[in-house]
Amino acid sequence: MINVEVQHCGNSILISATGELDEDAEEVLQRVLDHVTVDERELLVDLHAVEAMNVDGLHHLLRLHRRAEDMHLRVLVTGWQPQPQRCMATVAGIPGPRAATGERYALAGFRRLLKEKAQRARDHSDFADGWLPLV
């Protein structure tokens, strides 16, 4: 379960997330942008307190990012913890302790790669065993 605190600071929106970024995160993350004003230009997502993420959570984060960009917000995601970075690296096919996926997340091409591979992982998951593990 993920919780978010939203702060409006001038022309920026700060989302501070805590908990697990998983299949339950979609509704919470999508509601974040419901009250964006025309003056806001940046979305900062702070993941310092998110210690676990699975493929669904990554998919929801990518969807939030795309929706924010569609609203002409500049998006910055910061505070990547080790497990979420490993999850991204595994999905992207570049596993390893020094994969630096948090820095790569800012690149549109890397986000597109993640989106495609995350969707494939979801499409090929074994629903009998429940959803995908936290990788």
Side-chain angles (χ1 to χ4, degrees):
M1 179 84 175
I2 191 162
N3 294 306
V4 295
E5 179 183 324
V6 179
Q7 297 175 352
H8 298 266
C9 310
N11 65 353
S12 299
I13 302 168
L14 170 62
I15 301 172
S16 299
T18 58
E20 293 185 1
L21 197 48
D22 58 17
E23 60 274 0
D24 297 327
E26 182 174 27
E27 185 178 332
V28 173
L29 290 177
Q30 294 309 312
R31 279 192 316 231
V32 165
L33 298 178
D34 287 348
H35 303 288
V36 171
T37 68
V38 294
D39 297 328
E40 291 164 325
R41 296 286 169 232
E42 297 178 323
L43 172 66
L44 175 62
V45 181
D46 180 0
L47 300 178
H48 280 96
V50 174
E51 295 181 9
M53 176 176 74
N54 66 11
V55 174
D56 280 332
L58 176 58
H59 200 75
H60 298 320
L61 184 62
L62 290 164
R63 199 172 297 145
L64 171 71
H65 195 133
R66 186 187 70 239
R67 184 173 170 221
E69 285 182 335
D70 288 347
M71 298 171 78
H72 305 288
L73 294 172
R74 179 178 166 261
V75 181
L76 176 63
V77 181
T78 186
W80 290 98
Q81 297 303 305
Q83 190 281 332
Q85 286 205 61
R86 283 192 306 275
C87 176
M88 272 198 300
T90 301
V91 168
I94 52 170
R98 313 251 335 134
T101 53
E103 290 81 13
R104 292 180 188 192
Y105 182 86
L107 303 173
F110 185 67
R111 287 193 314 274
R112 191 170 33 259
L113 170 75
L114 283 172
K115 179 182 173 191
E116 292 167 4
K117 289 193 173 195
Q119 186 61 51
R120 259 184 291 190
R122 290 179 77 202
D123 292 345
H124 294 100
S125 65
D126 184 359
F127 292 104
D129 289 337
W131 216 222
L132 295 173
L134 289 174
V135 179

